[in-house]
Amino acid sequence: MMSSDIINKNTDRIIYPEHADVVIIGGGFIGASVGYWLKTRAGEGLSVVILEEDFTYARIQNNVSLGILNQHFSLPENINLSQYSVEFLRNVKNNLNSDVDIQFCPIGHLILASDKYAERLEQNVAILKEYGVKNELLTTNDIQEKYPWINTVDIKLGCISTESEGIFNPWALLKGLVMECKKLGVTFVNAKVVGFEMEQQQDVLMEGISPGNFKRINQVIFKTNDNEEHTIKFAIGVLSAGDSSGKIAKLAQIGLGDDLLKLPLPVERREYNIYKIRDSDDVKINLHTPCLMDTSGLWLRRNSIDRNFLCGVTPLLNSNEKELLSDGYYADIIEPSLLNRYQNIKQNQISKLKTEIDDCNTYDGTGILGYHPYHTNMILAAGFGKLGCQHAPGIGRAIAEIVIDGHYTSIDLTRFGFDRLLIDEPLVEFNVY
């Protein structure tokens, strides 16, 4: 994918835009979705620029465990976002273009619960039914009959989705969003953000800020591949740079100032290993094998059309990254969980496949979305981790709503705002795949 910078035909020199209505920092799933929705709704009425450091999207392509469509969440916001993703992806050829093939496989999700969490699973399924999500509770006998390769000795209850859940090709979705953005007139610039310029506004009064001391962001400074610095003046900025978002926020003094700028954006890089389970005569994986979440936090899913499993562990929020990548973590956590749940698997069938990277909100694990309380023209959209891929259509639409309409009109995502950090009210999603 190439950037759509404007080239001066007389000199072959790239002319970078100097101003835009909206500048989006980060052109991944969320950034591209924001650009798509802004231009879909406003057309030529809004000029939109996306700053992206890597147009090969190498890191996203490396994350092979993305592309999950799941509705089994505890937060209503996540349930609603997943439901919208179902609608968007079901009509993806109309929403983007007829060449997009996301290869959706509706294999479902199987959630397992021990005796300790069986009641919570029942309560969650009841909530999901209120939102129209179709799930079926399974007894231990049901699980043994449907999936005889699963050891159910320590299982009390299971839940299987009956529609609209499965796996899809995330790279196809991203390419479709980017290409449609370009058709709609979004300008892509291959560059790294290195700073912001702010102007003092004497007439702005804000609680906790001394009169005359408020500084408004009005420009973003970026460095191109030729090591030149440029600036773009903007009315609204969107920070959706994945695991780099916390560092970029510091360039706007978020976490380095006083009062409303005292708290940092708690989004950090989180690395973890993904493993592959090779198929054999003892372990048969077919096209209808569901994604699975074990009681230990271990997850498994079929690797596209290949006859093998991908697996990993959903780490705890305070997990140490070095520990997650260590041989000891595999030996103490992952391997015992696998060999317990799937007793036909042999040790020599399991091998490390990749190390993946997520943007982790270290405060409560839930994405942060909405205007910053001090920088009232800067929208934050980061810390969603794996959910940033499957929820991108709804997140992008939500940002377009607060830009154009001034408030959320489809799904109320107010609780995802930065304000919850100021009042110390974590928003925890208990069902993270």
PDB file of all heavy atoms in Angstrom, residues 386-407:
ATOM      1  N   LYS A 386      -6.794  -6.800  21.207  1.00  0.00           N
ATOM      2  CA  LYS A 386      -7.333  -7.597  20.111  1.00  0.00           C
ATOM      3  C   LYS A 386      -8.696  -7.099  19.656  1.00  0.00           C
ATOM      4  O   LYS A 386      -9.075  -7.273  18.495  1.00  0.00           O
ATOM      5  CB  LYS A 386      -7.442  -9.061  20.534  1.00  0.00           C
ATOM      6  CG  LYS A 386      -6.120  -9.786  20.665  1.00  0.00           C
ATOM      7  CD  LYS A 386      -6.365 -11.247  21.012  1.00  0.00           C
ATOM      8  CE  LYS A 386      -5.050 -11.976  21.207  1.00  0.00           C
ATOM      9  NZ  LYS A 386      -4.253 -12.014  19.984  1.00  0.00           N
ATOM     10  N   LEU A 387      -9.447  -6.481  20.556  1.00  0.00           N
ATOM     11  CA  LEU A 387     -10.786  -6.025  20.190  1.00  0.00           C
ATOM     12  C   LEU A 387     -10.748  -4.864  19.206  1.00  0.00           C
ATOM     13  O   LEU A 387     -11.760  -4.567  18.568  1.00  0.00           O
ATOM     14  CB  LEU A 387     -11.572  -5.620  21.445  1.00  0.00           C
ATOM     15  CG  LEU A 387     -11.823  -6.719  22.481  1.00  0.00           C
ATOM     16  CD1 LEU A 387     -12.770  -6.225  23.558  1.00  0.00           C
ATOM     17  CD2 LEU A 387     -12.366  -7.975  21.835  1.00  0.00           C
ATOM     18  N   GLY A 388      -9.596  -4.216  19.075  1.00  0.00           N
ATOM     19  CA  GLY A 388      -9.489  -3.110  18.133  1.00  0.00           C
ATOM     20  C   GLY A 388      -9.743  -3.536  16.700  1.00  0.00           C
ATOM     21  O   GLY A 388     -10.207  -2.737  15.881  1.00  0.00           O
ATOM     22  N   CYS A 389      -9.463  -4.786  16.390  1.00  0.00           N
ATOM     23  CA  CYS A 389      -9.706  -5.298  15.035  1.00  0.00           C
ATOM     24  C   CYS A 389     -11.191  -5.553  14.817  1.00  0.00           C
ATOM     25  O   CYS A 389     -11.803  -4.967  13.929  1.00  0.00           O
ATOM     26  CB  CYS A 389      -8.902  -6.576  14.809  1.00  0.00           C
ATOM     27  SG  CYS A 389      -9.243  -7.389  13.225  1.00  0.00           S
ATOM     28  N   GLN A 390     -11.784  -6.412  15.632  1.00  0.00           N
ATOM     29  CA  GLN A 390     -13.182  -6.776  15.378  1.00  0.00           C
ATOM     30  C   GLN A 390     -14.159  -5.644  15.663  1.00  0.00           C
ATOM     31  O   GLN A 390     -15.242  -5.606  15.093  1.00  0.00           O
ATOM     32  CB  GLN A 390     -13.582  -8.024  16.166  1.00  0.00           C
ATOM     33  CG  GLN A 390     -13.625  -7.881  17.677  1.00  0.00           C
ATOM     34  CD  GLN A 390     -14.367  -9.054  18.324  1.00  0.00           C
ATOM     35  OE1 GLN A 390     -15.534  -9.300  18.071  1.00  0.00           O
ATOM     36  NE2 GLN A 390     -13.655  -9.794  19.181  1.00  0.00           N
ATOM     37  N   HIS A 391     -13.790  -4.694  16.521  1.00  0.00           N
ATOM     38  CA  HIS A 391     -14.700  -3.596  16.853  1.00  0.00           C
ATOM     39  C   HIS A 391     -14.419  -2.315  16.063  1.00  0.00           C
ATOM     40  O   HIS A 391     -15.100  -1.306  16.269  1.00  0.00           O
ATOM     41  CB  HIS A 391     -14.625  -3.294  18.352  1.00  0.00           C
ATOM     42  CG  HIS A 391     -15.277  -4.346  19.197  1.00  0.00           C
ATOM     43  ND1 HIS A 391     -15.167  -4.373  20.579  1.00  0.00           N
ATOM     44  CD2 HIS A 391     -16.063  -5.398  18.868  1.00  0.00           C
ATOM     45  CE1 HIS A 391     -15.837  -5.407  21.051  1.00  0.00           C
ATOM     46  NE2 HIS A 391     -16.381  -6.043  20.030  1.00  0.00           N
ATOM     47  N   ALA A 392     -13.438  -2.369  15.166  1.00  0.00           N
ATOM     48  CA  ALA A 392     -13.064  -1.164  14.411  1.00  0.00           C
ATOM     49  C   ALA A 392     -14.231  -0.520  13.660  1.00  0.00           C
ATOM     50  O   ALA A 392     -14.348   0.716  13.669  1.00  0.00           O
ATOM     51  CB  ALA A 392     -11.923  -1.485  13.446  1.00  0.00           C
ATOM     52  N   PRO A 393     -15.115  -1.282  13.004  1.00  0.00           N
ATOM     53  CA  PRO A 393     -16.213  -0.614  12.292  1.00  0.00           C
ATOM     54  C   PRO A 393     -17.071   0.263  13.197  1.00  0.00           C
ATOM     55  O   PRO A 393     -17.411   1.399  12.839  1.00  0.00           O
ATOM     56  CB  PRO A 393     -17.023  -1.795  11.723  1.00  0.00           C
ATOM     57  CG  PRO A 393     -16.014  -2.880  11.538  1.00  0.00           C
ATOM     58  CD  PRO A 393     -15.093  -2.737  12.720  1.00  0.00           C
ATOM     59  N   GLY A 394     -17.398  -0.225  14.389  1.00  0.00           N
ATOM     60  CA  GLY A 394     -18.228   0.546  15.307  1.00  0.00           C
ATOM     61  C   GLY A 394     -17.481   1.674  15.984  1.00  0.00           C
ATOM     62  O   GLY A 394     -18.055   2.739  16.250  1.00  0.00           O
ATOM     63  N   ILE A 395     -16.181   1.478  16.273  1.00  0.00           N
ATOM     64  CA  ILE A 395     -15.386   2.535  16.892  1.00  0.00           C
ATOM     65  C   ILE A 395     -15.215   3.695  15.921  1.00  0.00           C
ATOM     66  O   ILE A 395     -15.349   4.865  16.284  1.00  0.00           O
ATOM     67  CB  ILE A 395     -14.016   1.986  17.342  1.00  0.00           C
ATOM     68  CG1 ILE A 395     -14.199   0.958  18.465  1.00  0.00           C
ATOM     69  CG2 ILE A 395     -13.109   3.122  17.814  1.00  0.00           C
ATOM     70  CD1 ILE A 395     -12.936   0.197  18.812  1.00  0.00           C
ATOM     71  N   GLY A 396     -14.926   3.381  14.666  1.00  0.00           N
ATOM     72  CA  GLY A 396     -14.779   4.427  13.659  1.00  0.00           C
ATOM     73  C   GLY A 396     -16.063   5.208  13.463  1.00  0.00           C
ATOM     74  O   GLY A 396     -16.046   6.444  13.346  1.00  0.00           O
ATOM     75  N   ARG A 397     -17.182   4.492  13.431  1.00  0.00           N
ATOM     76  CA  ARG A 397     -18.478   5.161  13.287  1.00  0.00           C
ATOM     77  C   ARG A 397     -18.752   6.070  14.488  1.00  0.00           C
ATOM     78  O   ARG A 397     -19.259   7.191  14.331  1.00  0.00           O
ATOM     79  CB  ARG A 397     -19.591   4.119  13.158  1.00  0.00           C
ATOM     80  CG  ARG A 397     -20.973   4.721  12.961  1.00  0.00           C
ATOM     81  CD  ARG A 397     -22.050   3.657  12.831  1.00  0.00           C
ATOM     82  NE  ARG A 397     -22.227   2.878  14.049  1.00  0.00           N
ATOM     83  CZ  ARG A 397     -23.265   2.063  14.265  1.00  0.00           C
ATOM     84  NH1 ARG A 397     -24.203   1.921  13.320  1.00  0.00           N
ATOM     85  NH2 ARG A 397     -23.364   1.381  15.379  1.00  0.00           N
ATOM     86  N   ALA A 398     -18.400   5.604  15.694  1.00  0.00           N
ATOM     87  CA  ALA A 398     -18.631   6.387  16.911  1.00  0.00           C
ATOM     88  C   ALA A 398     -17.832   7.682  16.896  1.00  0.00           C
ATOM     89  O   ALA A 398     -18.335   8.749  17.285  1.00  0.00           O
ATOM     90  CB  ALA A 398     -18.273   5.554  18.141  1.00  0.00           C
ATOM     91  N   ILE A 399     -16.575   7.612  16.445  1.00  0.00           N
ATOM     92  CA  ILE A 399     -15.753   8.821  16.388  1.00  0.00           C
ATOM     93  C   ILE A 399     -16.308   9.796  15.367  1.00  0.00           C
ATOM     94  O   ILE A 399     -16.339  11.020  15.597  1.00  0.00           O
ATOM     95  CB  ILE A 399     -14.284   8.458  16.085  1.00  0.00           C
ATOM     96  CG1 ILE A 399     -13.686   7.706  17.284  1.00  0.00           C
ATOM     97  CG2 ILE A 399     -13.462   9.718  15.781  1.00  0.00           C
ATOM     98  CD1 ILE A 399     -12.283   7.190  17.066  1.00  0.00           C
ATOM     99  N   ALA A 400     -16.766   9.291  14.236  1.00  0.00           N
ATOM    100  CA  ALA A 400     -17.387  10.170  13.240  1.00  0.00           C
ATOM    101  C   ALA A 400     -18.614  10.862  13.825  1.00  0.00           C
ATOM    102  O   ALA A 400     -18.877  12.035  13.532  1.00  0.00           O
ATOM    103  CB  ALA A 400     -17.777   9.369  12.003  1.00  0.00           C
ATOM    104  N   GLU A 401     -19.341  10.170  14.677  1.00  0.00           N
ATOM    105  CA  GLU A 401     -20.533  10.762  15.304  1.00  0.00           C
ATOM    106  C   GLU A 401     -20.168  11.916  16.230  1.00  0.00           C
ATOM    107  O   GLU A 401     -20.799  12.976  16.185  1.00  0.00           O
ATOM    108  CB  GLU A 401     -21.306   9.682  16.068  1.00  0.00           C
ATOM    109  CG  GLU A 401     -22.017   8.677  15.169  1.00  0.00           C
ATOM    110  CD  GLU A 401     -22.589   7.498  15.921  1.00  0.00           C
ATOM    111  OE1 GLU A 401     -22.357   7.395  17.151  1.00  0.00           O
ATOM    112  OE2 GLU A 401     -23.256   6.670  15.283  1.00  0.00           O
ATOM    113  N   ILE A 402     -19.145  11.728  17.068  1.00  0.00           N
ATOM    114  CA  ILE A 402     -18.826  12.821  18.012  1.00  0.00           C
ATOM    115  C   ILE A 402     -18.154  13.993  17.295  1.00  0.00           C
ATOM    116  O   ILE A 402     -18.203  15.118  17.781  1.00  0.00           O
ATOM    117  CB  ILE A 402     -17.981  12.332  19.215  1.00  0.00           C
ATOM    118  CG1 ILE A 402     -16.653  11.719  18.771  1.00  0.00           C
ATOM    119  CG2 ILE A 402     -18.774  11.334  20.045  1.00  0.00           C
ATOM    120  CD1 ILE A 402     -15.752  11.310  19.940  1.00  0.00           C
ATOM    121  N   VAL A 403     -17.543  13.730  16.138  1.00  0.00           N
ATOM    122  CA  VAL A 403     -16.978  14.823  15.350  1.00  0.00           C
ATOM    123  C   VAL A 403     -18.079  15.594  14.630  1.00  0.00           C
ATOM    124  O   VAL A 403     -18.140  16.833  14.673  1.00  0.00           O
ATOM    125  CB  VAL A 403     -15.952  14.298  14.326  1.00  0.00           C
ATOM    126  CG1 VAL A 403     -15.551  15.405  13.339  1.00  0.00           C
ATOM    127  CG2 VAL A 403     -14.706  13.767  15.032  1.00  0.00           C
ATOM    128  N   ILE A 404     -18.976  14.883  13.979  1.00  0.00           N
ATOM    129  CA  ILE A 404     -19.981  15.515  13.117  1.00  0.00           C
ATOM    130  C   ILE A 404     -21.245  15.903  13.895  1.00  0.00           C
ATOM    131  O   ILE A 404     -21.779  17.005  13.725  1.00  0.00           O
ATOM    132  CB  ILE A 404     -20.338  14.577  11.949  1.00  0.00           C
ATOM    133  CG1 ILE A 404     -19.093  14.349  11.067  1.00  0.00           C
ATOM    134  CG2 ILE A 404     -21.481  15.147  11.114  1.00  0.00           C
ATOM    135  CD1 ILE A 404     -19.258  13.273  10.014  1.00  0.00           C
ATOM    136  N   ASP A 405     -21.703  15.012  14.770  1.00  0.00           N
ATOM    137  CA  ASP A 405     -22.951  15.260  15.492  1.00  0.00           C
ATOM    138  C   ASP A 405     -22.747  15.877  16.872  1.00  0.00           C
ATOM    139  O   ASP A 405     -23.684  16.409  17.464  1.00  0.00           O
ATOM    140  CB  ASP A 405     -23.745  13.954  15.660  1.00  0.00           C
ATOM    141  CG  ASP A 405     -24.016  13.266  14.335  1.00  0.00           C
ATOM    142  OD1 ASP A 405     -24.406  13.970  13.384  1.00  0.00           O
ATOM    143  OD2 ASP A 405     -23.848  12.039  14.246  1.00  0.00           O
ATOM    144  N   GLY A 406     -21.539  15.749  17.377  1.00  0.00           N
ATOM    145  CA  GLY A 406     -21.253  16.298  18.695  1.00  0.00           C
ATOM    146  C   GLY A 406     -21.535  15.345  19.838  1.00  0.00           C
ATOM    147  O   GLY A 406     -21.279  15.666  20.994  1.00  0.00           O
ATOM    148  N   HIS A 407     -22.048  14.150  19.528  1.00  0.00           N
ATOM    149  CA  HIS A 407     -22.334  13.148  20.568  1.00  0.00           C
ATOM    150  C   HIS A 407     -22.540  11.798  19.900  1.00  0.00           C
ATOM    151  O   HIS A 407     -22.740  11.715  18.684  1.00  0.00           O
ATOM    152  CB  HIS A 407     -23.576  13.541  21.382  1.00  0.00           C
ATOM    153  CG  HIS A 407     -24.813  13.671  20.539  1.00  0.00           C
ATOM    154  ND1 HIS A 407     -25.708  12.641  20.359  1.00  0.00           N
ATOM    155  CD2 HIS A 407     -25.293  14.716  19.806  1.00  0.00           C
ATOM    156  CE1 HIS A 407     -26.700  13.044  19.572  1.00  0.00           C
ATOM    157  NE2 HIS A 407     -26.462  14.298  19.211  1.00  0.00           N
TER     158      HIS A 407
END
